[in-house]
Amino acid sequence: MTILFQLRHVAHVRRHFIFTTRHLSNITPARVRFAPSPTGQLHLGGLRTALFNYLLAKKTGGQFILRIEDTDQTRYVEGAVENLIRALKWAGIPHDEGPGVEGPFSPYYQSQRTQLYRQHAQQLIESGHAYRCFCTPERLSRVKEARQKQGNYIAYDKHCSYLSDEEIKENLQRNLPYTVRLRTPYEGSIEHVDLVYGKIKFSHKTIDDTILIKSDGYPTYHLANVVDDHTMNITHVLRGEEWLSSTPKHILLYNAFGWKPPYFAHLPLLLNRDGSKLSKRSGDVHVEQYIAKGYLPEAIDNFVALLGWHPSNINNSNSNVEQQNEGLFTLKDLITKFDIKDVNHSGAIVDHQKLDWINKHHILKRAETNEGLESLAHVLKPFVDKQYLDRLKGTEDEYRLDHVYLIKVINTIKERIHNLSDIPKLCNYYFEEPNYASSEAISLKKKLKLPALDLISSSAFINEFKLIEPFEAINIKPWIYSTAKSKQLNPNHLMMALRYIITGTKVGAGVAETIEVLGKETVMNRLNSVF
């Protein structure tokens, strides 16, 4: 039975098993790790892996370790580790041990642990569970091609596993380069219970003699992660589905060392809306891209958590039931609700419309408090500065860059946006004069009723409007309605005419609320300038 065939039967197998280990895994304090390679920015899938590990650790009173798998120096990107740590801190999931937070199992860079791996590889050679392979790249290529033509997709033919002690000694004396390979048994199988996929069985005939130590002396992922997980007392390994087929190799290594394997849980693939695997061609796939677009960290956490997981025990929660039914969770909620048994194995669709919806609701949640509004203004300010700083700085309108003003803007428009970064583009009238020559303004003007335009252009209307005190929405809105009624006009027609004058756009926050934020002087100037 091939690995592919076995994986196709995982879903069927999973439906017929109830695993006590799935429940025990949430009872025992979990010591987990997130072990990325420093090859660039943090992928959305990487954040989900880190988040699920973090949630399990905090749910069980355990520890979340950050370990850097940097043994492949050819792929190392300068500054990637620092960017990674910043992204995790931004998401509110800092590590308990790792770079910058040293613990009892440091160092946490694999490139600084190579001697440990070599020692363990030597131990496997001495016990007969591994062997040196002196095959040249040219021979390996020929063997692989020939075996594939025969329908055998195990690339290596175990040639060097048959070398005598004398042949090995001679090759070493000649300083021939070599790798160290795992000696996979011919017969038998590996069977284990994955906390997401259930019981999985792999025939030894489908497992190659994988390389453990490369010819440059550096370990491969397979050896390094097993040695590190054991020596760092990792209890649970939560990682992407792409590593599922490597798990039997790792279990063989645990058995060879005489170690007890940790719990394994493989998380479903992230998919585009068309079902294809999420990739750079799909658009935003890195956390830094979402940060740059102004998404809130709690919204990203909420969104990412729902990529393959949803709580099954909502009805037993003391949290707001309506909030939970909508799929809205704070990080605290996620810690409380998280359980590995609620992770499913089906691919998770990355739906950015859903993210926008989630982000909108977290904006509204933050905006419920003064502290929250201040933090939202802090998020908004860079976007406003980018577009308007040069134009407003040093002018009488520079106050429009201040947090106090930005908080007022957010308060008026929060119900109508999905992202704070939308404000400078969609609500430019808060920061500059309306563009009445735009296609939107011209289209809006054509829909205005002439009696309403005539009224707001009259000196009587402007003079009375100027007398409203305090100049606040609570007074402005009833004045507009009473004025419309006294002139036998439809109040909506008058509102629309005023919206055109003060914003030049069809939609936005309430007219009275917008007028209050802009202030009497700005509004009066716009009324006088148009007519």
Side-chain angles (χ1 to χ4, degrees):
M1 182 184 292
T2 67
I3 291 177
L4 177 61
F5 182 78
Q6 293 169 47
L7 293 182
R8 284 174 176 170
H9 283 265
V10 165
H12 173 76
V13 172
R14 188 174 188 251
R15 287 195 294 269
H16 295 277
F17 282 85
I18 299 175
F19 305 109
T20 56
T21 55
R22 292 177 62 144
H23 300 285
L24 288 173
S25 64
N26 270 3
I27 296 173
T28 307
R31 184 171 169 82
V32 299
R33 48 61 163 191
F34 176 51
S37 299
T39 56
Q41 296 179 314
L42 178 60
H43 190 277
L44 202 63
L47 178 63
R48 184 190 59 175
T49 299
L51 177 64
F52 281 15
N53 276 285
Y54 177 85
L55 295 177
L56 179 61
K58 299 310 165 185
K59 173 71 177 284
T60 60
Q63 297 86 39
F64 172 59
I65 290 86
L66 176 63
R67 190 173 72 219
I68 305 301
E69 299 194 341
D70 59 343
T71 54
D72 188 348
Q73 294 293 300
T74 62
R75 299 177 63 220
Y76 178 79
V77 174
E78 190 70 34
V81 174
E82 292 75 15
N83 291 337
L84 174 75
I85 292 173
R86 277 195 295 269
L88 292 176
K89 285 185 177 179
W90 174 84
I93 48 177
H95 51 283
D96 299 308
E97 295 176 28
V101 189
E102 296 305 313
F105 301 97
S106 62
Y108 295 93
Y109 288 86
Q110 286 190 336
S111 61
Q112 299 173 17
R113 300 167 64 84
T114 53
Q115 187 59 35
L116 178 68
Y117 309 133
R118 294 187 188 112
Q119 290 171 358
H120 281 83
Q122 182 61 33
Q123 180 181 331
L124 291 176
I125 292 173
E126 293 172 358
S127 66
H129 291 99
Y131 60 91
R132 296 179 180 88
C133 176
F134 298 92
C135 291
T136 64
E138 292 76 20
R139 182 185 186 279
L140 293 175
S141 180
R142 290 196 306 271
V143 170
K144 180 179 179 180
E145 183 178 350
R147 290 171 70 83
Q148 286 182 346
K149 286 180 180 179
Q150 298 168 1
N152 190 333
Y153 288 89
I154 298 298
Y156 186 55
D157 60 359
K158 292 179 177 284
H159 171 76
C160 288
S161 68
Y162 306 117
L163 296 179
S164 65
D165 291 342
E166 290 75 15
E167 289 173 307
I168 295 172
K169 183 178 180 180
E170 180 182 348
N171 288 339
L172 291 175
Q173 288 175 343
R174 293 169 57 194
N175 290 322
L176 293 183
Y178 66 87
T179 61
V180 176
R181 289 182 179 270
L182 173 67
R183 190 189 300 273
T184 303
Y186 285 105
E187 303 297 332
S189 61
I190 287 290
E191 186 176 295
H192 85 286
V193 175
D194 187 272
L195 298 181
V196 174
Y197 280 81
K199 186 177 181 180
I200 305 177
K201 186 176 182 179
F202 296 86
S203 169
H204 286 164
K205 293 179 181 179
T206 67
I207 307 171
D208 63 355
D209 284 10
T210 192
I211 294 175
L212 304 178
I213 296 288
K214 295 175 288 186
S215 58
D216 61 4
Y218 276 88
T220 62
Y221 170 84
H222 304 293
L223 176 64
N225 99 89
V226 166
V227 171
D228 285 343
D229 286 346
H230 175 74
T231 57
M232 292 183 179
N233 295 335
I234 300 301
T235 62
H236 297 70
V237 173
L238 279 64
R239 58 190 180 189
E241 179 188 294
E242 63 270 20
W243 294 108
L244 185 61
S245 60
S246 295
T247 304
K249 301 176 184 179
H250 302 162
I251 294 176
L252 281 172
L253 282 169
Y254 279 104
N255 293 343
F257 284 121
W259 299 337
K260 179 182 177 182
Y263 293 110
F264 289 98
H266 290 87
L267 310 178
L269 291 174
L270 299 189
L271 307 175
N272 298 309
R273 297 187 73 174
D274 63 2
S276 60
K277 185 177 179 181
L278 188 69
S279 66
K280 293 179 181 179
R281 300 186 189 92
S282 317
D284 296 333
V285 296
H286 296 119
V287 176
E288 289 85 351
Q289 291 172 303
Y290 293 97
I291 296 174
K293 288 193 172 183
Y295 285 99
L296 300 183
E298 60 266 38
I300 293 295
D301 287 344
N302 191 162
F303 175 65
V304 167
L306 296 176
L307 295 175
W309 170 87
H310 201 281
S312 61
N313 55 343
I314 287 176
N315 293 332
N316 297 326
S317 174
N318 294 323
S319 301
N320 184 287
V321 174
E322 179 181 356
Q323 179 193 36
Q324 299 255 355
N325 286 338
E326 290 178 345
L328 297 172
F329 304 94
T330 64
L331 189 57
K332 185 178 180 180
D333 292 331
L334 292 173
I335 292 172
T336 301
K337 303 299 295 182
F338 186 76
D339 196 316
I340 294 179
K341 70 181 178 62
D342 296 324
V343 176
N344 66 69
H345 61 271
S346 300
I349 302 294
V350 177
D351 184 347
H352 287 99
Q353 290 183 349
K354 183 175 182 180
L355 171 58
D356 286 341
W357 180 85
I358 289 173
N359 197 64
K360 172 188 177 73
H361 285 274
H362 280 287
I363 288 173
L364 294 174
K365 182 66 177 176
R366 274 211 208 186
E368 291 176 358
T369 66
N370 291 334
E371 182 181 1
L373 279 169
E374 180 68 31
S375 69
L376 291 175
H378 182 76
V379 175
L380 172 60
K381 184 164 174 54
F383 297 101
V384 173
D385 285 351
K386 182 179 180 180
Q387 193 163 337
Y388 297 107
L389 179 62
D390 291 341
R391 274 181 268 176
L392 295 179
K393 192 170 181 60
T395 72
E396 60 182 9
D397 295 325
E398 187 175 350
Y399 69 90
R400 294 177 184 175
L401 301 171
D402 295 341
H403 275 222
V404 173
Y405 183 77
L406 297 182
I407 287 172
K408 292 178 181 178
V409 171
I410 293 169
N411 246 335
T412 62
I413 202 69
K414 62 189 178 187
E415 298 282 353
R416 298 177 180 271
I417 59 169
H418 292 94
N419 198 318
L420 292 171
S421 62
D422 295 336
I423 291 177
K425 296 174 290 186
L426 301 179
C427 307
N428 61 311
Y429 51 83
Y430 280 121
F431 307 98
E432 63 183 357
E433 294 305 301
N435 180 10
Y436 301 112
S438 70
S439 58
E440 183 179 7
I442 292 171
S443 173
L444 175 59
K445 188 175 183 180
K446 290 178 181 178
K447 298 177 182 179
L448 301 179
K449 304 300 180 182
L450 187 57
L453 279 174
D454 289 340
L455 175 59
I456 63 175
S457 65
S458 67
S459 58
F461 178 89
I462 294 174
N463 289 333
E464 289 182 34
F465 193 75
K466 185 166 53 176
L467 296 176
I468 298 175
E469 287 293 344
F471 199 72
E472 298 171 352
I474 195 171
N475 298 319
I476 296 169
K477 189 171 185 177
W479 182 87
I480 293 172
Y481 272 86
S482 65
T483 299
K485 183 177 180 181
S486 68
K487 303 298 182 182
Q488 297 182 338
L489 294 176
N490 185 325
N492 291 333
H493 294 168
L494 186 55
M495 285 286 191
M496 187 62 73
L498 281 168
R499 180 180 295 282
Y500 167 75
I501 298 299
I502 64 174
T503 72
T505 62
K506 296 178 182 179
V507 295
V511 172
E513 290 74 15
T514 302
I515 289 173
E516 177 185 339
V517 172
L518 287 170
K520 183 181 292 186
E521 183 178 352
T522 297
V523 173
M524 298 309 299
N525 287 340
R526 291 182 184 180
L527 282 170
N528 287 316
S529 66
V530 174
F531 300 109

